[in-house]
Amino acid sequence: MQDFLPVTREEMKKRGWEQVDFVYVSGDAYVDHPSFGAAIIGRLLESRGYRVGMIPQPDWRKKESIQVFGRPRLGFLVTAGNMDSMVNHYTVSKKHRQKDAYSPGGQMGLRPDRAVVVYSNLIRQSYKDSPVILGGIEASLRRMAHYDYWENKVKHSILIDSGADLISYGMGEHSILEIAEALDSGIPIEEITYIAGTVYRTKDLLRAYEPIILPSFEEVKENKAVYAESFATQYRNTDPFTAKAMAESYGNRGYVIQNPPAMPLSTQEMDDVYDLPFTGEYHPMYKKKGGIPALEEIKFSLTSNRGCFGGCNFCALTFHQGRILQTRSHDSIIREAIKMTKAPDFKGYIHDVGGPTADFRHPSCKKQLTKGVCQNRQCLFPTPCKNLQADHKDYVLLLRKLRDIPGVKKVFVRSGVRFDYVLADPDKTFLRELVKYHVSGQLRVAPEHVSDQVLHYMGKPSHQVYLRFLEEFDKADKQAQKDQYAIPYFMSSHPGCTMKEAVKLAEYVRDLGYTPEQVQDFYPTPSTLSTCMYYTGIHPITKEKVYVPKNPHEKAIQRALMQYKNPANRELVLEGLKMAGRMDLVGFGPKCLIRPENSNRKKEQFHEKNKKTKKNRKR
């Protein structure tokens, strides 16, 4: 049990501790693996000499569940876990999910809705004056006023509703250590207002250094155009080199101030984090319940990078990890891989080597390391920037080294490659070796749609770019004498997708000759450009008006069109074709999606009539 941070008072006492410095409350089960944010922050604080006690998935109906270690010396750390609790609980159609991969045995119901707010309020019932610091993706993406899909309204910064003192947003390693040092030196929590990567509450603006004054909460709540304008300002201030502090007024409640993001981790700092003494396992207390399903997905995967300059509008990475790429060294990754091969249940397969985008291994251009990312330009959209350094040499070398490790049979790349970045690299070595060594029958890629209109609002390259990639993939596949396929992910109901565009996607699916298994309705999660479009009907950067499919029935039709072969979807598909004026796709021709109504009965009647005619002739 010494391998894990304590989860009970008894375990704390066995370590000779009378009190912990931090109590870490998480909506996830306790898994000591670097793919889990709570494990990273817990181990990082431990490495600096702080005593951390873990309370995973406390019973939020009982305040005693938060009192396991008593009052911590420095404060409480609160996270909903690796997933937003609302996304964890509900599908895009707001139906309850049946399984929670981050809970023992996949059991649902071990965390509350809006876990960060509930846990924080629970702490306040017992420890009114103890500092409460929020972290993780749920708090990070709700750090300012935000549109909430589940309640269909603009909600406060999570600091207001939770009663917490600080948010450590983004990945958090830099800011949490600075917070810990400040608290340890005796600085009151209300005076810790200077740390990059944090958000705090204040009565006035005296502590904020030249902040951008955002529209007030009341203004963004009442006016969608103002909300879009405020979001655009926040989006342009997500880079640690150029961002300014931002202040949002809550009237007589004071202000919520967001400091600029923390600086990205250097390679050495990334190595230091991933070299911490993780066990790589879930806590033994979960064994009887079947373990933690989420660990099985990533136990034998390797994180090689953070951040993403891909800039997809439906993704929250710009707000959370940022656009500047951060990487681990080859040595650090190989050390972890060698350790992995010694695990008794390792079968020789490394399931993935990557991050948000697998084949990004350095910033998109040299300027980013000193001046940050461009505020008004994307690296890959609508076409690759002329300053983009598309180079896979480092990633190819890393994959070669991993393949050569004794005990490793195969190294897969499953976290996704950015196909337009692959095409931008004039050297095709990576694509050839990807096809030859790192794909098992199917390579999953994410074109998301086939309509350039929709792709424009997604921040994705045109459909022709994807088709060019397929040509290159097939060429490499033939050279390797393989029989493999690129399997696309598609998304329905994204802002900008009318029924006409949905039918266009259905026609492409028809021409593929199979129904894609991976079909996802657009999910308006907090702090993405696409969610802002969904709520306001305005593209916050370009100010364009955007058509948004919001009606649940229309969304159901768009999804059904992608799975038009399913007989249960026939009426929805027919309705969609009528709405799009595409009744030419109803019939018996090879290009038709569905047959006419009662077509089977008409065929039966035709055959019956023929049979009778033949019988009469015989007579």
Side-chain angles (χ1 to χ4, degrees):
M1 296 308 301
Q2 290 292 322
D3 292 336
F4 292 85
L5 298 174
V7 297
T8 65
R9 186 179 287 270
E10 289 71 28
E11 289 177 17
M12 177 184 78
K13 296 274 189 181
K14 283 179 181 176
R15 287 178 173 238
W17 302 351
E18 291 301 318
Q19 184 184 32
V20 294
D21 297 319
F22 289 101
V23 171
Y24 203 132
V25 181
S26 174
D28 286 344
Y30 178 27
V31 181
D32 189 36
H33 188 282
S35 290
F36 290 73
I40 285 182
I41 299 300
R43 287 295 187 190
L44 185 63
L45 287 168
E46 178 192 44
S47 73
R48 299 300 196 275
Y50 296 103
R51 298 174 175 183
V52 182
M54 308 295 286
I55 304 183
Q57 300 185 316
D59 185 344
W60 68 95
R61 292 159 293 237
K62 300 176 181 177
K63 63 181 182 181
E64 294 78 17
S65 66
I66 222 80
Q67 300 170 357
V68 173
F69 299 101
R71 182 187 296 273
R73 184 173 70 90
L74 298 178
F76 284 87
L77 308 177
V78 179
T79 177
N82 270 19
M83 280 182 74
D84 185 289
S85 61
M86 299 303 285
V87 177
N88 179 280
H89 285 173
Y90 300 98
T91 67
V92 66
S93 57
K94 301 182 183 179
K95 294 179 180 176
H96 279 279
R97 298 191 193 275
Q98 300 303 308
K99 184 178 178 180
D100 180 352
Y102 293 90
S103 293
Q107 183 180 345
M108 184 56 79
L110 297 183
R111 80 184 82 209
D113 286 356
R114 309 188 188 283
V116 167
V117 172
V118 174
Y119 292 153
S120 297
N121 285 318
L122 190 66
I123 291 166
R124 284 286 179 241
Q125 290 178 31
S126 298
Y127 306 103
K128 290 183 180 180
D129 301 323
S130 188
V132 176
I133 299 104
L134 311 181
I137 198 160
E138 179 163 301
S140 187
L141 301 183
R142 289 173 167 81
R143 56 190 187 252
M144 306 299 272
H146 58 279
Y147 170 70
D148 185 88
Y149 171 68
W150 300 273
E151 290 187 18
N152 191 30
K153 69 178 186 181
V154 176
K155 291 179 72 72
H156 302 133
S157 161
I158 202 167
L159 270 184
I160 300 291
D161 293 335
S162 67
D165 298 288
L166 277 179
I167 299 172
S168 167
Y169 72 86
M171 297 307 286
E173 287 97 344
H174 280 158
S175 56
I176 198 64
L177 289 179
E178 288 190 59
I179 292 167
E181 288 167 6
L183 290 170
D184 198 24
S185 67
I187 299 176
I189 188 71
E190 60 271 15
E191 293 183 15
I192 303 176
T193 59
Y194 53 87
I195 295 173
T198 62
V199 182
Y200 62 93
R201 294 172 61 184
T202 180
K203 291 180 180 179
D204 52 48
L205 297 176
L206 295 177
R207 287 183 170 272
Y209 178 72
E210 297 182 352
I212 296 171
I213 308 299
L214 296 172
S216 70
F217 173 73
E218 290 301 323
E219 289 177 289
V220 297
K221 186 178 75 169
E222 299 298 331
N223 189 315
K224 291 183 178 180
V226 174
Y227 180 93
E229 179 188 336
S230 179
F231 185 88
T233 302
Q234 294 173 53
Y235 188 82
R236 292 189 182 105
N237 283 272
T238 53
D239 181 81
F241 290 93
T242 60
K244 296 182 180 298
M246 292 179 287
E248 189 172 69
S249 171
Y250 284 83
N252 58 12
R253 291 185 170 191
Y255 291 86
V256 169
I257 311 289
Q258 176 183 311
N259 286 324
M263 294 298 287
L265 297 186
S266 67
T267 295
Q268 183 60 59
E269 287 172 326
M270 283 275 282
D271 288 356
D272 289 345
V273 167
Y274 286 87
D275 286 346
L276 291 169
F278 301 100
T279 64
E281 301 287 347
Y282 56 76
H283 194 280
M285 64 183 170
Y286 303 124
K287 191 168 185 180
K288 289 182 180 178
K289 294 183 179 180
I292 310 302
L295 179 62
E296 300 307 311
E297 297 294 320
I298 49 81
K299 184 174 182 180
F300 297 123
S301 296
L302 296 164
T303 298
S304 71
N305 65 58
R306 281 186 188 172
C308 182
F309 52 79
C312 299
N313 290 341
F314 47 80
C315 177
L317 273 166
T318 295
F319 265 68
H320 191 59
Q321 289 192 3
R323 289 168 55 193
I324 297 177
L325 208 80
Q326 303 150 69
T327 55
R328 294 169 65 188
S329 70
H330 289 197
D331 287 346
S332 173
I333 295 169
I334 289 164
R335 278 197 300 273
E336 186 179 350
I338 291 171
K339 180 181 175 184
M340 195 180 283
T341 63
K342 301 184 187 310
D345 50 344
F346 181 70
K347 307 297 183 185
Y349 301 98
I350 295 175
H351 296 158
D352 189 26
V353 184
T357 301
D359 54 326
F360 289 175
R361 278 288 298 169
H362 54 78
S364 59
C365 68
K366 291 180 180 178
K367 156 184 143 10
Q368 290 183 5
L369 295 173
T370 55
K371 297 180 181 176
V373 298
C374 299
Q375 286 190 324
N376 298 303
R377 183 189 300 171
Q378 292 286 347
C379 304
L380 285 165
F381 175 80
T383 56
C385 174
K386 60 181 174 57
N387 296 319
L388 176 73
Q389 294 179 299
D391 187 345
H392 289 84
K393 292 185 183 68
D394 183 74
Y395 192 44
V396 168
L397 182 59
L398 172 62
L399 292 173
R400 287 174 179 171
K401 289 177 180 178
L402 291 168
R403 291 201 304 267
D404 289 340
I405 293 173
V408 172
K409 298 176 184 176
K410 184 105 176 174
V411 179
F412 294 105
V413 175
R414 288 178 173 164
S415 56
V417 296
R418 183 76 187 220
F419 56 83
D420 49 348
Y421 186 72
V422 173
L423 290 178
D425 187 350
D427 184 348
K428 301 306 174 189
T429 303
F430 169 66
L431 184 57
R432 288 197 299 269
E433 295 201 9
L434 175 72
V435 168
K436 188 173 182 179
Y437 298 111
H438 305 291
V439 177
S440 180
Q442 299 177 346
L443 174 69
R444 299 192 182 278
V445 286
E448 305 295 357
H449 215 280
V450 300
S451 162
D452 284 352
Q453 173 180 307
V454 181
L455 291 167
H456 164 73
Y457 292 116
M458 289 180 163
K460 297 285 284 188
S462 75
H463 184 51
Q464 286 302 313
V465 176
Y466 175 63
L467 295 179
R468 278 203 346 261
F469 172 77
L470 290 183
E471 290 175 6
E472 294 288 341
F473 178 84
D474 289 341
K475 192 186 300 182
D477 195 56
K478 286 176 183 174
Q479 287 177 353
Q481 297 182 323
K482 300 273 189 176
D483 186 20
Q484 301 179 133
Y485 302 91
I487 304 298
Y489 286 94
F490 290 122
M491 185 185 294
S492 64
S493 306
H494 188 277
C497 188
T498 66
M499 200 58 70
K500 177 183 173 183
E501 276 69 45
V503 171
K504 187 173 184 177
L505 179 54
E507 290 185 279
Y508 183 76
V509 169
R510 172 201 65 201
D511 296 341
L512 282 177
Y514 68 92
T515 303
E517 294 177 10
Q518 299 292 337
V519 176
Q520 172 66 53
D521 281 352
F522 166 64
Y523 204 148
T525 54
S527 294
T528 73
L529 275 167
S530 296
T531 298
C532 184
M533 286 185 244
Y534 175 88
Y535 170 58
T536 65
I538 300 167
H539 191 304
I541 306 301
T542 65
K543 308 299 188 237
E544 300 168 76
K545 288 190 175 180
V546 186
Y547 172 78
V548 179
K550 282 190 176 182
N551 183 285
H553 186 63
E554 181 182 355
K555 288 163 69 74
I557 292 172
Q558 289 207 18
R559 183 182 177 91
L561 279 163
M562 278 197 278
Q563 297 176 318
Y564 68 88
K565 289 183 179 179
N566 185 341
N569 289 337
R570 188 187 182 285
E571 292 304 315
L572 289 172
V573 173
L574 179 61
E575 187 177 348
L577 295 176
K578 286 178 181 177
M579 290 170 67
R582 293 300 308 274
M583 291 302 286
D584 57 302
L585 296 175
V586 181
F588 295 100
K591 295 292 186 182
C592 292
L593 299 183
I594 56 173
R595 303 290 177 248
E597 287 186 272
N598 301 320
S599 60
N600 290 335
R601 181 60 189 150
K602 287 177 182 177
K603 279 185 179 180
E604 289 171 8
Q605 290 172 345
F606 176 78
H607 290 308
E608 286 173 8
K609 188 176 180 181
N610 274 354
K611 285 179 184 177
K612 287 178 182 178
T613 303
K614 287 177 182 177
K615 283 182 182 178
N616 289 335
R617 283 175 183 169
K618 286 180 181 178
R619 288 174 184 170

